[in-house]
């Protein structure tokens, strides 16, 4: 019988330089989605709890005390522990350090980047991961290209203009399911996407879960992303 993970790591240590001035006095995951009254990490924790997660470890870095204070005062739907790197460990090292504080190290776990706003079934992704006997599974998104595209015929005539078309490529959506054995494969220092992931891919132990059709996903990297997220939220309410 399939059992979904009940623990997760949220990577919330980035400086968010492209989101300035919003990130001058707060870490990136503490930036509020306009019109919601809730920072990005608040939406993430609510989503994780709705998907059956009971324990989350939040890895802090830039202006960690601001995030920790909000977590202490917020009415959270799950238990949250915070960890702070005393020195930069890189993405892989930071993930390994945070994973060491999970309550059940011998059980599967989710991880998510702290700047992702999304909604889809993590339980379905966990079942996908288990069915493929994967060591790690990445959620895959197909974002819209931020520019208009031009279509031409073979002779060079322009036949159409397409505003913000979907990318022809799938990308890493920043949401993961990991088996217990994955933690030991992470580097103590460095980037797992340059070491651990390529190794698992060569060994056919890395799976990719395409986000379901119609699932909402957006990475909040720039002020424009905040504006677009607010527009999309307003459209959903209508």
């Amino acid at each position: 019988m399939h059992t979904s993970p009940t623990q997760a790591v949220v990577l919330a240590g980035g400086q968010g330089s492209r989101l300035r001035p919003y990130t001058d006095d707060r870490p990136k995951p503490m930036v509020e989605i306009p019109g919601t009254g809730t920072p990005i990490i608040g939406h993430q924790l609510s989503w994780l709890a709705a998907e059956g997660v009971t324990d989350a470890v939040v890895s802090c870095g830039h202006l960690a005390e601001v995030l920790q204070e909000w977590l202490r005062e917020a009415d959270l739907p799950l238990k949250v522990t915070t960890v702070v790197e005393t020195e930069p460990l890189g993405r892989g090292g930071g993930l390994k350090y945070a994973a060491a504080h999970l309550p059940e190290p011998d059980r599967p776990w989710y991880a998510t980047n702290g700047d992702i706003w999304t909604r889809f079934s993590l339980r379905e992704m966990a079942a996908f991961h288990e069915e493929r006997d994967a060591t790690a599974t990445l959620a895959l998104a197909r974002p819209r290209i931020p520019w208009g595209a031009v279509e031409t015929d073979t002779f060079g005539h322009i036949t159409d203009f397409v505003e913000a078309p979907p990318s022809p490529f799938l990308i890493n959506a920043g949401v993961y399911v990991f088996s217990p054995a994955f933690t030991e494969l992470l580097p103590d220092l460095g980037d797992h996407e340059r070491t651990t992931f390529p190794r698992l891919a060569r060994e056919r132990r890395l799976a990719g879960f395409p986000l379901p059709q119609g699932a909402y996903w957006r990475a909040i990297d720039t002020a424009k992303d905040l504006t677009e997220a607010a527009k999309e939220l307003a459209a959903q309410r209508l």
Side-chain angles (χ1 to χ4, degrees):
M1 181 178 177
H2 166 68
T3 303
S4 298
T6 59
Q7 54 187 357
V9 168
V10 179
L11 297 173
Q15 293 191 11
S17 56
R18 289 194 292 165
L19 261 175
R20 288 175 179 160
Y22 297 100
T23 51
D24 285 344
D25 61 353
R26 69 197 64 193
K28 192 176 184 182
M30 280 299 299
V31 174
E32 180 185 320
I33 301 292
T36 69
T38 303
I40 299 168
I41 195 167
H43 293 284
Q44 288 189 323
L45 293 174
S46 294
W47 171 52
L48 290 171
E51 291 294 323
V53 174
T54 58
D55 293 86
V57 177
V58 178
S59 178
C60 308
H62 174 64
L63 297 174
E65 64 281 359
V66 177
L67 177 52
Q68 290 173 317
E69 181 180 357
W70 183 85
L71 290 169
R72 281 194 299 268
E73 297 179 357
D75 182 16
L76 301 174
L78 73 177
K79 181 181 178 182
V80 175
T81 303
T82 61
V83 296
V84 182
E85 297 175 26
T86 54
E87 58 184 33
L89 299 175
R91 290 190 297 177
L95 190 60
K96 188 172 188 176
Y97 178 66
H101 294 78
L102 289 168
E104 297 182 286
D106 58 340
R107 303 287 297 169
W109 47 290
Y110 297 119
T112 179
N113 294 344
D115 57 358
I116 301 298
W117 190 25
T118 186
R119 285 292 185 277
F120 65 91
S121 174
L122 282 174
R123 292 181 176 93
E124 289 183 7
M125 183 176 173
F128 180 96
H129 169 83
E130 189 172 294
E131 288 165 1
R132 284 148 185 82
D133 195 26
T135 301
T137 296
L138 287 61
L140 304 177
R142 194 181 298 277
R144 290 196 169 274
I145 297 172
W147 310 281
V150 177
E151 293 184 354
T152 63
D153 61 19
T154 55
F155 194 67
H157 293 120
I158 292 176
T159 58
D160 201 3
F161 294 89
V162 184
E163 186 63 30
S167 168
F169 301 104
L170 291 166
I171 67 164
N172 180 351
V175 181
Y176 312 90
V177 183
F178 296 134
S179 297
F182 177 77
T183 308
E184 289 303 313
L185 301 177
L186 286 164
D188 294 323
L189 184 68
D191 188 350
H192 61 293
E193 294 194 11
R194 296 177 181 271
T195 55
T196 310
F197 280 174
R199 171 185 168 183
L200 290 176
R202 289 192 299 269
E203 297 171 354
R204 297 296 186 268
R205 292 194 288 157
L206 187 66
F209 175 76
L211 295 190
Q213 184 72 27
Y216 183 80
W217 179 88
R218 177 173 285 278
I220 308 296
D221 290 321
T222 65
K224 183 178 180 181
D225 291 324
L226 283 174
T227 302
E228 292 299 318
K231 288 180 182 177
E232 289 159 357
L233 180 63
Q236 289 174 10
R237 288 173 174 170
L238 291 175

